Amino acid sequence: MMRFKRYIGVVCVMTISVAASAQKMGRYHKNLLYEAEIYFEQGDYYYASELYTEVSKVAQDNGEVLGRLGICYFHIPPLQDQAERYLELAVDRDDTESLYYLAQKRIQSYRFFEAIDLLQKYEEKGDRMKSSKEVGDLIASAERAAVMVRNPVHVSIKNLGNGVNSSLHDYAPVWDAQGERLYFTSRRRYDTDSEKDVSEQYDENIYSVDLLSETKRAMAANEPLNSRTNDAAVACSEDGKSLILYRTRKNGFSGDLYITEKDGHSWKEPEKLNDQVNSKYHEASACFGNKEGTVLYFSSDRPDGFGGKDLYVVRKLPDGKWSDAQNLGPNINSAYDEDAPFISAKGNLYFASNGHETMGGYDIFCAIAEGETFLKPENLGYPINTPGDDVFFVMDKEGKQAYFSSERVGGYGLQDLYRIQFNDANTIIYRGKLVTIGDNIPPYATITLLNKDSGAVEGLYQADPKDGSFVLALNADQNYTVVVEADGFRALERPLYIASDDERSEDEVEKIILSK
């Protein structure tokens, strides 16, 4: 009943808002605007964006229309880069909801202090749609991200390159350590029959790459791993002989988890897991919980959980069937989403969450095993986690390296696949401080770290507006360019190279002078 009342309220707000926006429009554009609002409220952002685009041609100064268009682009992965421009225009025209979404874009681009200011303005608005808790949680994420970026962990992270990653989503690495092959899921075009969905993305298909080859190239998997529905690689057993897949049903929306066994060099026809795992709800990620394959962890948004997606466990019974699913409880599951579980060789649980203490979006967490339970999850830290989505973590037995997918600065498109090298002595922490004549610290100065050798952007940072300090995480023996930009000051570029045998202290701070 509460959901019904809320829906009525949203429709009323929408109708009043549309009526105000449409007063100065002709009948044709009024009708387009009403239709756009219907698609928008249904979450069909692509079709809504096309209609708002047409309406914006006669409503170039209408903050609400520009804001709706920006919010649509925010939710369409291939078009997200266009969101910020329209959200900025809408904020300049006093559109309330655009403040919240522009703050999220600022967080994604490491402009945390600007995001906090936008959210505080949004919090004061009486006509906002987001709850105080949602606003407070996002402010906490921005504050947390600012602290974590200044305290990076010692790891080396490398993109797997454009032979593996595409301009679209590439995610969910599944590591067959026995065969040194990495399976993953991609939204790139599979063949000439591939079609785009309402989010302007092609359907999911499974690809793989030989990790031992010098030139790593992704190859599409054949049947039975791929079909004419969405197919995603989910998990591989320790011996490399079993693979868990996710496959949508013919309606293209709901789906189930399947398991396939290796038969020589090929895979058998996948078999759907039973009703203890699959339900009429959404189960799209899982992992094997032990080397025998008699324990499975999986995520589900079934209604008996603590929030959105929760993590569950099932165990194989003596008769070969799976036990009833057991929720991992409130220590692991939050009021938001937990997804992509992975159990390490030590029995520790790694997973992605957008509900625990994150930097924004999904972060990767580790919960140490203690008997049959797990301790409180800990964030793996920056630069493993970023303000974007960081998910689908898999690690080797020794805990020396891992693979994961991430939507971060410097990638080839949306989500990309990356490799992590832990405890890498090659990681250098560089601390700087912006200073000016008269100590007039610019409030929103940004620092871009460019790798001159690869040509890639390796990091975005924002100086603390209180004292101008910032921290960079970089690799030794690499040629970098540091670009500093601040309103009212000249842009500054300076080279940066730190040798691996450099004896500088990590606490040493280098001053950078800005001039007007």
Side-chain angles (χ1 to χ4, degrees):
M1 190 65 180
M2 288 297 292
R3 289 185 180 180
F4 179 74
K5 287 181 179 178
R6 186 180 177 207
Y7 177 75
I8 293 295
V10 169
V11 171
C12 289
V13 171
M14 178 187 77
T15 304
I16 294 169
S17 180
V18 170
S21 297
Q23 285 179 356
K24 298 180 181 181
M25 297 179 191
R27 179 176 296 179
Y28 172 71
H29 287 96
K30 284 182 180 180
N31 290 338
L32 286 183
L33 183 56
Y34 278 107
E35 190 175 352
E37 290 288 307
I38 292 170
Y39 280 119
F40 184 90
E41 295 301 331
Q42 292 174 343
D44 196 339
Y45 296 110
Y46 179 73
Y47 289 111
S49 71
E50 290 192 320
L51 295 170
Y52 284 127
T53 298
E54 190 65 27
V55 172
S56 69
K57 294 176 182 178
V58 298
Q60 297 178 7
D61 290 321
N62 188 306
E64 184 189 8
V65 171
L66 295 172
R68 294 281 194 175
L69 185 53
I71 294 169
C72 285
Y73 287 145
F74 180 92
H75 287 102
I76 305 171
L79 303 178
Q80 285 177 352
D81 288 344
Q82 300 183 44
E84 198 159 8
R85 170 178 164 236
Y86 287 98
L87 292 171
E88 288 173 344
L89 290 171
V91 166
D92 288 342
R93 289 157 178 79
D94 297 322
D95 180 60
T96 296
E97 289 310 299
S98 295
L99 286 165
Y100 184 84
Y101 287 92
L102 183 58
Q104 291 189 73
K105 295 298 292 183
R106 292 290 192 257
I107 291 172
Q108 291 171 9
S109 58
Y110 292 73
R111 295 159 71 174
F112 308 121
F113 302 105
E114 288 180 68
I116 292 168
D117 287 346
L118 287 167
L119 289 167
Q120 288 173 342
K121 291 177 183 177
Y122 179 74
E123 197 170 24
E124 295 172 356
K125 298 287 186 179
D127 59 339
R128 59 181 166 84
M129 300 297 293
K130 301 295 182 182
S131 68
S132 296
K133 176 173 171 41
E134 289 174 295
V135 181
D137 286 347
L138 194 55
I139 290 174
S141 287
E143 292 174 338
R144 190 179 304 115
V147 172
M148 290 174 66
V149 166
R150 297 170 69 86
N151 296 276
V153 296
H154 281 267
V155 296
S156 173
I157 298 176
K158 184 177 181 180
N159 189 296
L160 294 194
N162 60 6
V164 176
N165 292 307
S166 70
S167 62
L168 299 174
H169 274 308
D170 302 287
Y171 51 94
V174 173
W175 193 355
D176 175 4
Q178 295 295 326
E180 285 298 334
R181 179 164 293 276
L182 196 72
Y183 295 91
F184 66 96
T185 304
S186 180
R187 301 299 293 266
R188 69 189 71 183
R189 189 175 185 179
Y190 179 68
D191 59 22
T192 56
D193 294 327
S194 296
E195 296 181 354
K196 291 184 178 180
D197 61 16
V198 294
S199 67
E200 277 296 280
Q201 300 182 95
Y202 293 107
D203 58 351
E204 294 177 309
N205 283 287
I206 299 169
Y207 289 74
S208 71
V209 59
D210 182 357
L211 295 175
L212 298 179
S213 65
E214 290 187 16
T215 305
K216 293 179 174 58
R217 295 287 173 188
M219 301 291 293
N222 297 319
E223 293 183 351
L225 297 187
N226 282 323
S227 66
R228 296 318 306 183
T229 64
N230 285 290
D231 301 284
V234 172
C236 186
S237 61
E238 186 176 320
D239 61 10
K241 294 180 179 180
S242 300
L243 198 62
I244 300 177
L245 312 176
Y246 170 78
R247 179 169 289 176
T248 54
R249 299 170 192 152
K250 291 183 179 180
N251 63 17
F253 296 99
S254 57
D256 294 299
L257 292 170
Y258 290 73
I259 191 165
T260 177
E261 306 292 336
K262 185 169 280 189
D263 183 12
H265 295 288
S266 59
W267 295 95
K268 295 180 180 179
E269 187 66 30
E271 295 183 2
K272 189 167 74 170
L273 293 170
N274 67 8
D275 292 343
Q276 274 62 46
V277 177
N278 290 310
S279 71
K280 64 180 181 180
Y281 300 97
H282 192 238
E283 292 85 22
S285 68
C287 72
F288 292 98
N290 58 10
K291 63 181 180 180
E292 295 81 14
T294 58
V295 179
L296 286 182
Y297 291 85
F298 67 96
S299 68
S300 175
D301 63 355
R302 58 190 64 183
D304 61 349
F306 291 90
K309 294 180 183 177
D310 277 13
L311 297 184
Y312 293 80
V313 62
V314 292
R315 293 175 171 82
K316 189 165 285 188
L317 301 173
D319 62 2
K321 296 180 180 179
W322 292 105
S323 68
D324 290 338
Q326 178 183 353
N327 189 294
L328 294 192
N331 186 48
I332 299 297
N333 294 311
S334 71
Y336 293 95
D337 298 302
E338 280 65 50
D339 205 355
F342 172 77
I343 298 294
S344 71
K346 294 181 179 180
N348 299 327
L349 172 65
Y350 292 81
F351 64 98
S353 172
N354 60 12
H356 288 288
E357 295 182 347
T358 77
M359 296 178 67
Y362 279 99
D363 277 8
I364 299 169
F365 291 80
C366 176
I368 303 297
E370 186 177 60
E372 293 293 317
T373 61
F374 297 99
L375 299 179
K376 180 182 177 181
E378 297 288 339
N379 191 303
L380 292 193
Y382 174 83
I384 296 174
N385 290 316
T386 68
D389 286 332
D390 307 285
V391 287
F392 300 110
F393 176 95
V394 291
M395 185 169 60
D396 64 8
K397 290 182 180 179
E398 293 77 22
K400 293 182 178 180
Q401 65 175 333
Y403 292 93
F404 73 117
S405 51
S406 176
E407 192 167 354
R408 62 180 60 203
V409 172
Y412 290 94
L414 300 173
Q415 286 261 324
D416 275 5
L417 301 177
Y418 292 83
R419 185 181 69 221
I420 304 171
Q421 201 76 31
F422 289 99
N423 299 319
D424 193 343
N426 198 44
T427 302
I428 302 294
I429 307 302
Y430 171 89
R431 300 183 186 275
K433 184 175 183 178
L434 303 182
V435 296
T436 64
I437 297 174
D439 290 331
N440 181 24
I441 304 301
Y444 298 133
T446 61
I447 299 96
T448 304
L449 183 65
L450 301 172
N451 188 315
K452 292 177 66 176
D453 298 325
S454 67
V457 176
E458 286 202 1
L460 293 175
Y461 304 86
Q462 189 168 51
D464 190 321
K466 295 178 181 178
D467 60 8
S469 62
F470 63 92
V471 179
L472 308 181
L474 45 88
N475 294 317
D477 303 321
Q478 296 281 312
N479 289 296
Y480 291 97
T481 297
V482 177
V483 181
V484 182
E485 297 173 288
D487 288 343
F489 294 85
R490 293 179 185 175
L492 182 149
E493 293 187 14
R494 61 181 299 174
L496 179 61
Y497 176 91
I498 301 177
S500 55
D501 58 356
D502 193 295
E503 296 182 355
R504 64 187 291 131
S505 167
E506 285 194 358
D507 295 326
E508 182 178 334
V509 178
E510 185 170 349
K511 292 183 178 180
I512 297 178
I513 302 174
L514 297 180
S515 59
K516 293 187 176 181

